[in-house]
Amino acid sequence: MNVPTATPPATVPGRVLRLRGERLSVRWRPRTLTVCLLLAACCLALGALALTTGAFRLPLPRVLATLLGQGTGAEDFIVLDLRLPRLLCGVLAGGALGMSGAVFQSLSGNPLGSPDIIGFTSGAATGAVVEIVVLHGSASAVAVAALAGGLVTALLVGALAAGRGRALGYRVVLVGIGVSAMVTSLTAYLLTRASLYEAQDAQLWLIGSLNSVTWSVVTPLALALAVLTPVTVWAARALGWLELGEDTARGLGVPVGWTRVILALAATALAAASTAAVGPITFVALAAPQLCRRLVRSPGALVVPAGFMGALLLSASDFAAQRVLPSTELPVGAMTGVLGGLYLCRLLVARRRSGTS
């Protein structure tokens, strides 16, 4: 669903809903809406499965009764204290990564332009490790440090890759990979200087996990998304015009400079908020926009569908990670890392074949 800033060409697919005496028009596409509803339904089905299965099985009626405040003490502990925060955190973090990936891939014009590839999540991870190892901060301080690390890395990449032209997307990716390597090296150095306990704590956080998520993690993440999601969706209206070129976008009345700044800051904050909550998670921001694009079959950034796809990918990965080895719960970061490596190899092979055919 897009709200254009100017009258769109007649070739742009979709339908227009006009409100308030035609002072506000909203362009929406039936297929996009259908895909979003299907992805939301899949998230609900997966959530029902996650809340009812596990070491202590609960029938769905008992889960619903517990959610309505009619459960026993054991049911309240299992559903409300253990399973529900983990489920909601996976959905929120995945949605944030999906939207962030969609924005960055559209701004850079490169399918590899996701925050985990161009170093923003690595910067957030380095900020968190600095807080853990050097400053010995609390969990809330670690989250703030991760946000700061992601924003500083984004500013550094943006400054080094600044410029115009069609090569901007490639510059962002190349500079981001270089900056990511530097901050990753800094993280590794800090781990060698840390005590055994601090190194263990930092390493567990760096893997990316939902195993110990509580409401103290879910609540700040939900508040961050409540602020960042409307800003991102509103600013993403202009992404379709930016993809046509800066000159065309300016001719249509789009403030290119401010739009890029707002979108980059919002997308970076989304990725950093997710990293602060669950650690650096790979694959989701990279794959979610491209998978939903194949389903929607429509041009544009598709920020909202990518958010739904990211929520489904991360929650499904966590559900699988809990059940691959029943005796040991794998961190979701390990699961997404394996899937991300396979997907990236497939993407590179597909692009090579298309380039040589």
Side-chain angles (χ1 to χ4, degrees):
M1 182 174 68
N2 293 324
V3 184
T5 56
T7 303
T11 57
V12 176
R15 300 178 182 179
V16 177
L17 175 64
R18 303 187 185 277
L19 305 173
R20 297 181 182 179
E22 298 191 358
R23 288 182 296 177
L24 176 65
S25 62
V26 179
R27 176 167 294 275
W28 62 282
R29 300 181 179 92
R31 187 180 181 91
T32 303
L33 180 61
T34 302
V35 169
C36 290
L37 292 176
L38 288 175
L39 292 174
C42 290
C43 288
L44 287 175
L46 184 63
L49 193 61
L51 293 177
T52 55
T53 60
F56 189 87
R57 293 181 177 271
L58 285 173
L60 185 58
R62 292 309 308 162
V63 171
L64 296 176
T66 303
L67 294 177
L68 294 175
Q70 301 174 1
T72 64
E75 291 171 343
D76 288 344
F77 175 73
I78 291 171
V79 175
L80 300 180
D81 294 337
L82 296 181
R83 295 179 181 174
L84 186 59
R86 180 171 188 156
L87 173 65
L88 291 179
C89 190
V91 169
L92 293 174
L97 290 173
M99 290 188 290
S100 178
V103 170
F104 279 122
Q105 289 181 19
S106 179
L107 285 177
S108 64
N110 194 314
L112 297 179
S114 63
D116 48 342
I117 297 295
I118 57 181
F120 297 167
T121 54
S122 298
T126 300
V129 171
V130 169
E131 185 66 37
I132 294 172
V133 174
V134 179
L135 303 178
H136 313 289
S138 61
S140 59
V142 171
V144 173
L147 286 170
L151 291 174
V152 170
T153 305
L155 292 175
L156 180 60
V157 172
L160 294 176
R164 298 185 61 182
R166 296 186 177 182
L168 175 61
Y170 293 98
R171 289 201 305 271
V172 169
V173 172
L174 292 176
V175 171
I177 291 174
V179 172
S180 177
M182 289 190 294
V183 296
T184 301
S185 298
L186 176 60
T187 301
Y189 172 75
L190 290 173
L191 291 177
T192 63
R193 306 297 297 177
S195 65
L196 180 61
Y197 175 78
E198 291 172 340
Q200 275 186 327
D201 193 18
Q203 192 61 49
L204 288 174
W205 189 89
L206 286 171
I207 294 175
S209 175
L210 295 170
N211 292 347
S212 58
V213 166
T214 62
W215 288 109
S216 63
V217 176
V218 177
T219 302
L221 180 59
L223 292 176
L225 262 68
V227 175
L228 294 172
T229 300
V231 174
T232 304
V233 173
W234 175 80
R237 301 175 304 168
L239 279 174
W241 305 116
L242 290 176
E243 290 179 353
L244 298 177
E246 292 187 3
D247 294 335
T248 302
R250 287 194 180 93
L252 293 168
V254 177
V256 174
W258 280 110
T259 300
R260 285 186 176 275
V261 170
I262 292 172
L263 284 170
L265 289 176
T268 301
L270 284 171
S274 173
T275 304
V278 299
I281 300 293
T282 58
F283 166 66
V284 176
L286 172 68
Q290 299 178 43
L291 292 176
C292 73
R293 187 181 299 277
R294 295 184 179 184
L295 294 176
V296 175
R297 298 177 185 175
S298 176
L302 305 176
V303 172
V304 175
F308 281 105
M309 179 63 77
L312 179 60
L313 286 176
L314 186 55
S315 54
S317 297
D318 184 56
F319 182 81
Q322 297 178 61
R323 288 156 179 80
V324 170
L325 296 175
S327 59
T328 303
E329 290 187 1
L330 288 176
V332 66
M335 179 65 69
T336 60
V338 172
L339 296 176
L342 295 174
Y343 182 81
L344 183 59
C345 290
R346 180 186 178 280
L347 179 65
L348 293 175
V349 170
R351 288 177 66 85
R352 180 179 178 183
R353 289 178 177 175
S354 62
T356 57
S357 59

